Amino acid sequence: MVEQAEERRRRPEGAALSRGLTARVTRPSGGGPDRPVPGVRPVRGRGRVIAAAAVLTAALLVLHGAVPNAVGRLGSLLETFLPWLGAVVVVLLVCALVRRSVLALVALLLPVAAWTYLFGPLLLPAPEPGADELIVVQHNVSDENDNPAATARALAEAGPDLIALQELVSPALEVYAGTLAADYPYRTVRGTVGLWSKHPLTGARPLDIKPRGITEEWNRGLRAVARTPRGEIAVYVAHLPSVRVGAGGLASARRDESAGLLGDAVAAEEVPRVILLGDLNGTVDDRALDPLTSRLDVAERGVALSFPAAFPVARIDQVMARSATVRHIRALPATGSDHLPVAARIRLG
């Protein structure tokens, strides 16, 4: 009897403790949210900032043409470095994995898909060489190049049919001419640009791509017809004005004007096949080169970053074609220039 009384005396205390524990783990009757546990971050909402950044990156990749150029030419500046948004995606991926955010990982599928669509084909292996191909080399040799003979030999080693050079100045011009003469007996030079060819050249003349406001002598464009075994090709060699990036954005007005003049010349060309080789001081994604990219095809495969030579971040040395296909483009080893040379295979069939 004493034990039963003792048990009844303890039971209310145990019941009260049980009710207290139940109250701590049960939601309020009104259906409100659970109270946060101190020191533990809620899973919901984790990675929202990363997900938003991923969506923004995808939007910039897909809708870069909508970024206005009115102030500081921000649109062109973005398009100059557009492929590098892929590096942003990699950083966001690392952040999403660290945060263990499913939301962020799902959102990252958008920029990954956009980048792959825009630039993925450039990373595919080079196609097999064809019998109907022409090999060309484009190089801004730099007017400060202290070893033009070595540069000329390096370019010839690629075995091109055509070699286009910019920033040709005396006495280096004579060195290039002498070094290349044996393998490239046909050449034409206008101002500071030149073309060397294994095939006869006819109809050589300068191109008027000089922007307004330049009063000094300025001749940086030429046109000639190469008479190849596969037919005549109008070859354009050009060096567009430089651009500058400063506090006010991208300064490219002269480059843009010169690109328009060059585009007009290409549009008026009567020879069906056209090849453009040049230091255009712009990437093929930059809308400022639309007068050219809307009329000429660009490389199907290859990245070929060419500037600056010490750490290339963009390809501003271009090879484009009409009624021909630029199948592959690649960068060649560094010379004495601040640009890397680029070599391209062009199918004429």
Side-chain angles (χ1 to χ4, degrees):
M1 295 295 293
V2 175
E3 292 177 356
Q4 291 179 355
E6 182 67 19
E7 182 179 354
R8 285 195 299 270
R9 186 173 61 83
R10 291 178 179 177
R11 188 177 299 165
E13 180 181 351
L17 178 60
S18 175
R19 286 194 300 271
L21 290 173
T22 302
R24 292 183 185 180
V25 299
T26 305
R27 286 193 176 195
S29 58
D34 294 337
R35 295 180 181 178
V37 179
V40 178
R41 187 180 296 272
V43 175
R44 289 178 299 174
R46 179 182 293 172
R48 287 182 178 177
V49 173
I50 301 172
V55 173
L56 176 60
T57 303
L60 290 175
L61 283 165
V62 176
L63 304 173
H64 57 86
V67 177
N69 239 4
V71 179
R73 286 182 166 79
L74 292 180
S76 284
L77 184 59
L78 168 66
E79 290 160 346
T80 298
F81 302 103
L82 195 63
W84 287 98
L85 287 180
V88 175
V89 176
V90 173
V91 172
L92 293 176
L93 174 61
V94 173
C95 293
L97 293 174
V98 171
R99 299 284 295 153
R100 293 182 294 177
S101 170
V102 175
L103 174 65
L105 289 172
V106 172
L108 277 167
L109 293 176
L110 295 175
V112 167
W115 194 96
T116 302
Y117 175 78
L118 291 174
F119 304 111
L122 299 178
L123 303 179
L124 294 175
E128 292 296 323
D132 58 349
E133 287 185 350
L134 202 68
I135 299 176
V136 301
V137 163
Q138 149 61 30
H139 191 28
N140 179 328
V141 295
S142 175
D143 55 7
E144 298 180 352
N145 193 325
D146 59 3
N147 198 343
T151 297
R153 289 192 296 268
L155 301 179
E157 285 178 2
D161 297 90
L162 302 171
I163 299 176
L165 304 181
Q166 297 84 40
E167 293 198 12
L168 294 169
V169 294
S170 295
L173 172 57
E174 288 72 28
V175 177
Y176 289 112
T179 306
L180 295 172
D183 295 323
Y184 299 89
Y186 308 100
R187 70 180 174 94
T188 179
V189 177
R190 294 292 187 275
T192 58
V193 299
L195 175 65
W196 276 257
S197 174
K198 290 184 176 181
H199 312 292
L201 298 174
T202 61
R205 57 178 172 80
L207 286 175
D208 183 12
I209 57 173
K210 179 179 178 180
R212 294 166 294 181
I214 297 180
T215 56
E216 63 270 18
E217 185 177 354
W218 198 93
N219 192 343
R220 292 164 56 164
L222 68 81
R223 176 263 190 195
V225 175
R227 300 174 60 185
T228 77
R230 303 173 189 88
E232 292 189 343
I233 305 170
V235 183
Y236 285 69
V237 181
H239 184 190
L240 301 189
S242 299
V243 300
R244 296 289 183 269
V245 179
L250 186 70
S252 63
R254 286 181 173 177
R255 189 274 311 265
D256 299 353
E257 181 182 352
S258 191
L261 295 172
L262 182 57
D264 291 341
V266 169
E269 177 58 59
E270 296 181 354
V271 177
R273 282 183 181 149
V274 175
I275 294 176
L276 169 62
L277 305 164
D279 173 6
L280 304 186
N281 274 302
T283 68
V284 295
D285 300 303
D286 188 344
R287 71 192 67 178
L289 298 190
D290 282 353
L292 300 169
T293 54
S294 63
R295 297 181 171 103
L296 302 167
D297 294 328
V298 300
E300 293 180 338
R301 299 183 185 181
V303 179
L305 303 179
S306 66
F307 185 83
F311 186 78
V313 296
R315 186 176 83 238
I316 62 176
D317 296 272
Q318 306 296 350
V319 177
M320 304 181 189
R322 184 180 75 187
S323 298
T325 304
V326 185
R327 302 187 72 198
H328 185 261
I329 191 168
R330 64 187 177 96
L332 298 178
T335 66
S337 172
D338 56 343
H339 291 240
L340 293 180
V342 296
R345 291 163 40 198
I346 302 176
R347 184 173 61 194
L348 302 177

